[in-house]
Structures are given as structure tokens and as C-alpha cells.
Amino acid sequence: MTNANKDKLSSARFSQATDAFVEIFTASVGFDQRMAQQDIEGSIAHATMLCTIGILTEAERDSIFQGLEQIKGEIERGEFQWSIQQEDVHMNIEARLTALIGMAGKKLHTGRSRNDQVATDIRLYMRMEINAITAMIERLQQALLDLAEREAETIMPGFTHLQVAQPVTFGHHLMAWFEMLVRDKERLQDCLKRVNIMPLGAAALAGTSYPIDRELTAKLLGFSRPSANSLDSVSDRDFAIEFTAAASIIMMHLSRFSEELVLWTSAQFSFIELPDAFCTGSSIMPQKKNPDVPELVRGKCGRVTGHLMSLLMLMKSQPLAYNKDNQEDKEPLFDTVDTLINCLRAFADMVPHIQAKRENMFNAAKKGFATATDLADYLVRKGMPFRHAHEVVGLAVRLGVESERDLSELSLAELQKFSEMITDDVFSVLSLEGSVAARKHIGGTAPDTVRQAIQTARAGL
Ligand code: ARG
């Protein structure tokens, strides 16, 4: 037997050493060491509880505290020797603890199992990351509000089917992005309610015969309550799936923002300028300035959605309770966290530096007969049925297309040929400014309404 295999878990049960490859194959310490701080936090709470119910003496508890405190420092300083033979983060820390403090270290695992331990660690970890992600979303929201404020009056074409539809303000468009993030934050906060429930005490699957005080441990760890069923506690990974689903939706939103930025920076649109620091050149074409950051974010959306599928498939058909399959939850989860936070950060850093090319936006809105609906509404206000007005405006647009002029560039006499109801007050309606200003109801694109929405949003942040 190798030295490592002498320490093999439950070694007394085994007459054969673990195959060297299997040892590597089954180890998770390479990635689950990311949860080391949570593992220590959980152990401190567990030891505290074990002492209050008389399983540990105060001296043993304090020695565990000291040992864990030292290990925490070793990990933070990068001095901790992680070992594959100890399989995972939990065994590594416990083995080191026992090496440091002896017998008391061996008592720490009383009344718990790695099954409830790992479920607890992931939840503590997720709770921390959800808070960090929420803070990053709020940074991006702030940036969007500032830019929306700057561009509250900037007129651009609004699109449906990527065809010019009606004029909108750029501020209004940015506030649409903001709203998506409002829902994203709500989804994360809702997910957090189910993350923040404590599985510790479920032990391997059936609970423990020690008179543990789960309410106390939950309180010490800041969980809202202990979980209700021990079998469910060690097997449930719904919270990870929910989180990854929420993350996938956020990434989907970022991919939509990205797509628009990519389009808008193209010579064909030329609506915005992205800061040089967020773009790169081409190795062959000297003129190129590529929107790499939005493109990469758009691409990473697929990666996170892939992780969601991985986790769903991981849990599919798993019998109760814990199965080793669950060790596969961590890499998709961790990569989701990293990808999401990096993409949000890239956007939060980039958005404040987006320069609107206001004149280009305005001219583009002018080109697409964006005020055609306003002309129809004008005729309706003068008593024409809407379907009839729709037809009349269609004819006017046709003349505009044929003579390469916007509706506002047609003469009154020309317009009056389509309907006698048209008088010279029509031109205020046909202007882009008039069109956006008229949409001043809740949720409308009028500059004042957008400013109001920004104010409300700021109060809510
Ligand atoms: N490394 C394991 C995991 O990530 C910890 C739990 C192992 N439990 C067990 N009975 N093998 O899920």
C-alpha cells in the first residue's frame, strides 16, 4: 500500500488500495477547493453546536477553532498543501486539522457527513456569489441610468423586424435594457430564498442519532431555516439549476445588448462609438476596429446555457438520496458564476464610455418614414376611421419612396391630395421631435417621460 492509500477513507473496510487512476478520476479537490472558506465556516458552526449539546468539550471546540483559523490563513496565503489522496476540500481540511490538533480534529465529523457538508458549502458559496452578482448588476444599471439621462432627448429609429418602425429616444431604448436587469435581479433574489436553507444535519441521508440543534447551526450560518427532509437535503440541487437558469436569462439579455452594440458600431448603422479600450484591431486589415467585448459576451451566452443543460441532465433520473454524480455540479456552477460576473463587469465598465452619434441616429430615423403612424393617428383625431387612415398614409409613403423624401418633406398641397382633412398643423406631427414628445404616457418614449422613469429607477436602486 502506498502511503496515501493507508489514509484511504474508511480504510478498514478496504483490502485493496484505490487504483491510482481512479484516485485522480474521483477526486474533486482540484475544483472544490474554491469552497474552502465556506467549508471552514460550516465546520465552525457545526463545532459550536456540538459543544452546546455536550458532544465536544469547550477545550476541544476551541482547539478546533484554532486549527481551522490556522488552516484558513494557510489557504489564504497559498501555503496549504492540497492533496489528491484526500479527494476533496472537506477531507483535505479535516486531515490537516487532525494533523494540527490531534484527537479533537477527529471528533469534528460527529453527526455529519460529507453529503450534508457539501450541500451546505455550495449553498453558502452560492449565497455569497449571488450577492456579488447582484451588486455587479446594480453597477451596470447605474451606468445605464447615467447614459440614459445623457441621451434622454436623443432621437433614433425604433425597430421592429429590424426595419425602422417609429422614432424613439435613445434614453428610452437604454431604459428597456435597464428593465431586463430589474427582472434579472428579482429572479436572483427569489432564487436566493431557496439557496439560503440549511441541509446540515441531514448527515449521510437519514439524519443522525445525536441530539443536534439544527436551529442553532442554521442561525450561526445565517440560513433562514434548516431543511425539512434529510433525504431531500443531501440530494437537492434545484437551487443550482435555478441559479443557472437565472444566469442564462441574464446572459441572454447581455447577448441582446451585445448584438445591438455590434450592429450600431458597424459602418452601416454608425449609431455609436465604443471606447478603443474595449475594441481590438485586425492583424491584417489596418482600418478595422472590432467590437470584441460585445461579441465575446454574445458568444459566452451559449456557454452558460450549456451549463444549465448540464445541470438539468445531471439531476435527471437520479434516485434519492446523494449520488456521486452530484460532484459534477460544481464545475458548471463555478464557470457560470465566473462567466456571468466577468460579462456583467465588462458591460458595467464599457457602458459609461459609449458615445452616441446623435446626428446619425436622427438621420436614420428620418429615413424610414418613422412618423407614418403619427400621420395616421393625426387623421384619426380628425375623425377618419383608423383603417382608412392607414390606407391614406400608405399612399403618402409611396409618394415619399418614389420621390426619395420623408413625409415631413412633402408639401402641404401634396399631402392634401391624399386627404382634405390635412392642414398645416400636420408638420408638427410629422416631425420626429413631435412624434416622441406625444408618447408621454407611462412607459412612453417622450424625453420627459424617460427622465421620469430614470428618476423612479434611481429611487428604486
Ligand atoms: N466531493 C463530494 C461532492 O462533491 C463530496 C461528497 C462525497 N460524499 C460521498 N459519500 N462520496 O459531492
Side-chain angles (χ1 to χ4, degrees):
M1 260 197 193
T2 64
N3 206 24
N5 279 322
K6 263 196 288 166
D7 291 339
K8 182 172 178 176
L9 271 183
S10 327
S11 54
R13 162 78 178 74
F14 291 88
S15 56
Q16 208 182 18
T18 311
D19 176 89
F21 171 71
V22 170
E23 198 164 71
I24 295 166
F25 184 68
T26 54
S28 56
V29 65
F31 48 86
D32 66 14
Q33 54 178 273
R34 185 192 275 235
M35 305 187 303
Q37 300 308 340
Q38 289 75 31
D39 196 69
I40 290 171
E41 200 187 328
S43 289
I44 288 174
H46 184 64
T48 306
M49 184 277 290
L50 287 181
C51 179
T52 65
I53 63 167
I55 305 264
L56 293 178
T57 65
E58 285 182 8
E60 286 167 334
R61 177 200 61 193
D62 293 345
S63 146
I64 288 173
F65 284 176
Q66 263 170 25
L68 288 173
E69 211 40 59
Q70 173 168 343
I71 293 170
K72 192 174 164 185
E74 290 174 358
I75 294 170
E76 277 165 5
R77 292 189 298 275
E79 292 163 10
F80 192 87
Q81 296 292 316
W82 297 103
S83 126
I84 283 271
Q85 285 81 42
Q86 293 300 339
E87 194 177 317
D88 56 25
V89 62
H90 324 291
M91 293 307 304
N92 266 271
I93 291 176
E94 194 185 322
R96 176 71 183 140
L97 183 68
T98 302
L100 284 172
I101 67 168
M103 200 51 93
K106 294 194 177 187
K107 292 191 176 180
L108 173 62
H109 210 52
T110 313
R112 80 173 181 190
S113 148
R114 279 185 301 155
N115 297 353
D116 60 342
Q117 191 179 353
V118 69
T120 303
D121 291 1
I122 310 172
R123 285 168 183 268
L124 288 171
Y125 167 80
M126 292 298 306
R127 194 172 73 184
M128 173 185 77
E129 296 293 16
I130 287 175
N131 289 330
I133 291 163
T134 303
M136 198 58 93
I137 292 178
E138 285 175 354
R139 241 189 84 196
L140 174 55
Q141 285 183 307
Q142 285 291 357
L144 286 171
L145 288 179
D146 293 344
L147 185 59
E149 186 134 57
R150 231 160 62 212
E151 305 297 340
E153 295 196 18
T154 307
I155 291 176
M156 68 182 286
F159 299 90
T160 58
H161 314 269
L162 205 57
Q163 312 284 322
V164 171
Q166 291 172 351
V168 295
T169 50
F170 186 30
H172 193 54
H173 193 114
L174 293 165
M175 288 304 285
W177 291 3
F178 179 90
E179 283 301 315
M180 297 183 205
L181 295 170
V182 170
R183 295 191 294 276
D184 289 335
K185 231 168 54 182
E186 283 174 9
R187 261 184 289 273
L188 285 177
Q189 291 313 305
D190 191 59
C191 170
L192 188 57
K193 288 187 218 154
R194 285 172 293 280
V195 166
N196 202 28
I197 290 169
M198 188 193 71
L200 201 61
L205 75 164
T208 172
S209 54
Y210 300 98
I212 55 172
D213 182 351
R214 298 188 67 211
E215 294 282 359
L216 173 62
T217 322
K219 201 169 136 224
L220 291 171
L221 290 171
F223 282 113
S224 60
R225 62 173 172 86
S227 54
N229 178 290
S230 65
L231 293 169
D232 181 49
S233 308
V234 291
S235 81
D236 171 38
R237 293 294 182 273
D238 292 2
F239 65 92
I241 297 174
E242 275 187 53
F243 167 76
T244 314
S248 298
I249 296 177
I250 301 173
M251 288 302 298
M252 176 272 285
H253 286 154
L254 294 182
S255 83
R256 297 183 63 188
F257 304 174
S258 296
E259 175 70 6
E260 294 193 316
L261 294 179
V262 170
L263 284 172
W264 294 345
T265 52
S266 70
Q268 288 67 29
F269 276 81
S270 198
F271 281 4
I272 58 159
E273 188 77 45
L274 285 181
D276 285 358
F278 290 81
C279 298
T280 63
S282 154
S283 57
I284 174 168
M285 297 167 283
Q287 84 285 10
K288 287 297 280 289
K289 177 176 164 184
N290 297 326
D292 291 54
V293 169
E295 287 176 284
L296 203 51
V297 169
R298 189 174 60 184
K300 284 178 190 288
C301 175
R303 174 172 172 155
V304 171
T305 307
H307 294 325
L308 171 61
M309 295 305 126
S310 297
L311 290 175
L312 282 168
M313 290 307 101
L314 174 67
M315 296 313 294
K316 179 188 173 293
S317 310
Q318 263 200 50
L320 287 171
Y322 177 87
N323 300 283
K324 182 76 168 176
D325 310 41
N326 281 6
Q327 185 165 293
E328 284 287 307
D329 63 354
K330 288 165 208 67
E331 287 160 294
L333 203 52
F334 295 162
D335 190 68
T336 297
V337 167
D338 292 342
T339 306
L340 182 58
I341 208 138
N342 287 339
C343 292
L344 284 167
R345 187 210 151 138
F347 258 79
D349 288 350
M350 180 175 63
V351 165
H353 306 287
I354 291 176
Q355 287 296 334
K357 296 178 168 175
R358 295 176 184 159
E359 215 180 294
N360 292 354
M361 286 183 167
F362 189 85
N363 290 336
K366 260 195 128 154
K367 257 184 241 153
F369 300 99
T371 55
T373 316
D374 296 272
L375 179 55
D377 292 344
Y378 168 88
L379 291 169
V380 168
R381 278 198 299 277
K382 299 226 166 178
M384 194 182 282
F386 181 77
R387 277 292 156 228
H388 188 187
H390 190 279
E391 175 115 7
V392 165
V393 177
L395 293 171
V397 167
R398 186 139 122 206
L399 175 63
V401 171
E402 281 161 8
S403 59
E404 293 187 7
R405 284 175 299 163
D406 180 54
L407 290 178
S408 62
E409 289 162 342
L410 301 180
S411 70
L412 184 59
E414 281 174 311
L415 286 167
Q416 280 171 335
K417 273 196 222 133
F418 299 112
S419 167
E420 288 151 15
M421 288 179 178
I422 297 177
T423 53
D424 63 359
D425 59 352
V426 74
F427 291 104
S428 66
V429 161
L430 291 180
S431 78
L432 298 177
E433 290 86 349
S435 170
V436 294
R439 289 160 167 78
K440 53 182 191 253
H441 51 77
I442 296 172
T445 191
D448 285 341
T449 309
V450 170
R451 283 196 196 93
Q452 189 60 49
I454 294 170
Q455 215 181 338
T456 309
R458 279 202 203 283
L461 261 192

